[in-house]
Amino acid sequence: MTAKIHKTTRKRGVVLSPRGLIRLRKAISFWEKTENQGNHLTLEQLSEYTNISAKTLSRLWSANKGVDQKTLKLCFNTFNLELNYDDYIFLREDNKQEISTVISNHLYTEGKVNSLWLYPDGPVPLNSPLYIERSPIEELVCQQIQQPGCIIRIESFRKMGKTSLILRLLAFASNEGYHTINLSFTQIDDHYLTNLNQLLRCLCCQIAIKLGLEPNIDNYWYEEIGYKLTCSFYLEEYILKQINKPIVLVLSEVDAFFNYPHIAQEFFAVLYSWCEEARKNQYWQNLRLVVAYSTEQISTLDLNRSPFNIGLPIKLGEFTQEQVEELSRRYNLNWDFGKESALLMSLIGGHPAMIQLALYHLSLGNMTLQTLIEDAISNGGIYRHHLQKHWLNLQSDPDLIKTFSEVIATKDNEKSVVVNPIHAYKLENLGLITFQGDQVLPRCQLYRNYFYKQLHRVNC
């Protein structure tokens, strides 16, 4: 008689139980109030404070991928909690879906929602269920990054999801076996942004280090032939001929040096030359370039020499009502189809960061949607920092204030005011206006109400 063989189910680490999730979130909220002046911790700050990687923390919050038990204990101990047996569940192949369902069903406790999410003031982490795909954008960038010598440029005004998209593009490229390099210009010292030679040397040095190579800059840097040419020579001779796999190079926040238009022009000319080289040089075809920038700081650049007229253009737009409703479900908000989402969008449109912030606060259960809407235009509302930043930007340009005041004073059913094209360009890049046919309108009702009130106070 043949003995029956029982398949052993492997353990995949632990995930937080519903009780553990609630205990940890409450402890973090208490710490934020008592030790951090009420400021919410970003994922990066939480990573630094707990000494746990952001990737691991994302897995911990998503509750669908196991983490090491010691890591979980470290996280609890950081916030003066003792890890108990009922704070976690062993994740096995046969109970992964069951655990996910149990956690979802326990999000409601005593009629109130216990928010298990981090405060949404940064990119949506990988593996987070709160990321909303905006098809066909994800498919387009993943297809394009596989093309030899491609260039992708991603633009929008701030807080529209550029970094979240880039994280997923880099993850895709990494899974394809590509080298990935993500360089943010906000991390480059200001004095490099005023000197082309130092900027290009800094860029080449960072690329080499990210690829695990010794920079050896001086061995390939011949200033006599010009900074731009020697930079390209270094990349071809030292980097591209040595690395035989595609390299995805992301240059994000390049608007950081739009205030230095001459350097920006020269730098973008370098990027353009790389794109040209890829069309005739096999080594350069392994370089896949992604350039991301916010439109608020765009200067009068020579478009014939910038990357803004080449490659695949990706302009991130707002969420649709269907996407807002899908995100509300992921926050476990029990909304009626087409009702609450329409009310929220009538105030703020589909701005991703503003939608995320609203749903986060609603998921806490400490305010209703009606209260959120009523408080939104006050200085104490949840959008106060967002609105104040826009107000400061407007105050630096009196002509722009005058034009915008005319726009918000016009009713929706009235004939649109005639707007100076340059002012319209700036206001659109700031994300303050939108166009409906020939009409120029405030981007959302919140902007109309808030700035009308602010301008009325100034003029009184």
Side-chain angles (χ1 to χ4, degrees):
M1 180 177 179
T2 304
K4 186 177 180 180
I5 300 175
H6 295 277
K7 182 180 177 181
T8 302
T9 303
R10 291 186 297 167
K11 293 181 179 179
R12 298 289 189 180
V14 299
V15 296
L16 283 165
S17 67
R19 178 182 183 276
L21 277 165
I22 293 170
R23 286 187 68 215
L24 183 57
R25 185 63 205 137
K26 285 183 176 179
I28 293 174
S29 297
F30 180 77
W31 187 92
E32 290 169 339
K33 292 177 182 178
T34 59
E35 304 292 336
N36 206 37
Q37 293 78 49
N39 296 317
H40 296 283
L41 289 170
T42 65
L43 184 65
E44 289 72 20
Q45 290 169 336
L46 186 61
S47 172
E48 182 178 353
Y49 185 67
T50 59
N51 201 29
I52 299 172
S53 73
K55 182 178 180 180
T56 300
L57 287 172
S58 296
R59 296 172 64 183
L60 181 66
W61 292 121
S62 67
N64 60 10
K65 288 192 176 182
V67 300
D68 185 82
Q69 194 172 349
K70 291 181 179 179
T71 300
L72 192 57
K73 184 176 182 181
L74 173 61
C75 191
F76 269 62
N77 291 343
T78 302
F79 296 99
N80 301 315
L81 286 177
E82 182 178 349
L83 182 65
N84 299 324
Y85 287 114
D86 50 1
D87 289 324
Y88 58 91
I89 306 168
F90 282 105
L91 185 63
R92 301 189 305 272
E93 292 176 336
D94 62 338
N95 70 347
K96 181 177 178 180
Q97 182 60 44
E98 179 183 352
I99 290 171
S100 177
T101 303
V102 169
I103 290 172
S104 178
N105 291 338
H106 279 76
L107 292 179
Y108 288 85
T109 304
E110 297 179 359
K112 293 183 178 181
V113 180
N114 294 281
S115 178
L116 308 175
W117 315 113
L118 291 178
Y119 187 72
D121 62 348
V124 181
L126 288 173
N127 302 320
S128 171
L130 300 181
Y131 181 75
I132 298 294
E133 289 194 1
R134 283 178 277 186
S135 182
I137 288 177
E138 285 81 4
E139 295 92 335
L140 279 174
V141 295
C142 289
Q143 290 172 4
Q144 187 72 9
I145 209 66
Q146 299 177 70
Q147 301 303 313
C150 77
I151 180 169
I152 301 171
R153 48 190 172 94
I154 304 173
E155 71 166 27
S156 71
F157 38 88
R158 295 192 183 280
K159 301 291 186 179
M160 291 293 288
K162 294 185 296 297
T163 306
S164 298
L165 175 62
I166 287 170
L167 289 177
R168 282 146 184 87
L169 176 58
L170 288 172
F172 172 82
S174 181
N175 287 336
E176 290 293 306
Y178 299 170
H179 292 288
T180 59
I181 303 171
N182 190 8
L183 301 181
S184 172
F185 276 76
T186 58
Q187 297 177 328
I188 294 179
D189 295 342
D190 285 346
H191 69 272
Y192 286 118
L193 303 180
T194 60
N195 185 301
L196 183 63
N197 184 44
Q198 291 187 4
L199 174 64
L200 295 178
R201 286 177 66 97
C202 173
L203 178 66
C204 289
C205 185
Q206 289 196 53
I207 291 173
I209 291 173
K210 295 280 188 179
L211 291 171
L213 303 173
E214 287 292 332
N216 290 333
I217 298 289
D218 292 333
N219 293 339
Y220 292 85
W221 207 260
Y222 303 104
E223 296 183 5
E224 294 79 9
I225 65 174
Y227 304 142
K228 292 182 286 187
L229 189 57
T230 196
C231 170
S232 299
F233 176 80
Y234 172 86
L235 287 177
E236 180 176 337
E237 294 296 320
Y238 185 64
I239 301 294
L240 297 175
K241 286 186 177 181
Q242 190 173 175
I243 304 295
N244 58 3
K245 291 195 298 184
I247 301 171
V248 176
L249 173 60
V250 175
L251 304 176
S252 60
E253 306 289 349
V254 297
D255 48 293
F257 67 158
F258 283 179
N259 291 326
Y260 311 97
H262 175 68
I263 300 298
Q265 293 287 162
E266 297 290 336
F267 179 73
F268 292 143
V270 174
L271 302 187
Y272 186 87
S273 71
W274 294 353
C275 181
E276 290 293 306
E277 284 294 326
R279 295 173 181 173
K280 57 187 178 182
N281 187 317
Q282 62 175 342
Y283 295 114
W284 283 94
Q285 291 181 359
N286 268 341
L287 182 64
R288 319 292 166 84
L289 187 62
V290 180
V291 180
Y293 54 92
S294 297
T295 56
E296 286 91 336
Q297 297 296 323
I298 288 182
S299 304
T300 54
L301 300 172
D302 181 358
L303 296 181
N304 292 320
R305 301 173 66 196
S306 79
F308 302 144
N309 61 347
I310 57 175
L312 175 67
I314 298 293
K315 189 165 186 177
L316 297 182
E318 299 189 344
F319 285 159
T320 64
Q321 186 172 359
E322 291 77 14
Q323 289 169 329
V324 172
E325 294 197 339
E326 172 60 28
L327 188 57
S328 73
R329 284 192 288 271
R330 299 185 191 186
Y331 270 100
N332 291 279
L333 295 174
N334 189 23
W335 281 4
D336 292 331
F337 179 77
K339 182 180 178 182
E340 289 88 350
S341 60
L343 282 174
L344 181 59
M345 295 183 73
S346 69
L347 177 73
I348 60 174
H351 189 290
M354 297 174 77
I355 292 291
Q356 286 272 10
L357 186 60
L359 298 183
Y360 169 81
H361 281 282
L362 293 172
S363 72
L364 292 174
N366 55 12
M367 68 170 64
T368 65
L369 177 57
Q370 189 60 42
T371 301
L372 184 152
I373 292 173
E374 291 172 356
D375 292 345
I377 64 170
S378 70
N379 288 330
I382 66 171
Y383 298 118
R384 60 187 180 277
H385 298 305
H386 176 87
L387 295 168
Q388 287 164 3
K389 286 181 181 178
H390 275 310
W391 179 238
L392 290 174
N393 286 332
L394 285 172
Q395 286 183 312
S396 64
D397 191 334
D399 291 336
L400 209 58
I401 288 182
K402 183 176 182 300
T403 299
F404 191 49
S405 65
E406 294 173 356
V407 172
I408 63 176
T410 305
K411 304 298 183 182
D412 290 343
N413 58 352
E414 293 180 355
K415 186 177 180 180
S416 177
V417 296
V418 178
V419 178
N420 181 307
I422 295 177
H423 293 170
Y425 174 74
K426 291 182 177 179
L427 290 169
E428 184 183 22
N429 284 333
L430 285 170
L432 290 173
I433 65 170
T434 187
F435 298 94
Q436 290 185 6
D438 294 331
Q439 276 195 312
V440 181
L441 303 172
R443 194 193 61 78
C444 64
Q445 192 62 36
L446 174 63
Y447 288 174
R448 185 193 292 277
N449 294 346
Y450 177 83
F451 291 111
Y452 182 85
K453 182 175 69 173
Q454 293 297 107
L455 290 167
H456 180 72
R457 287 174 177 172
V458 171
N459 295 327
C460 286

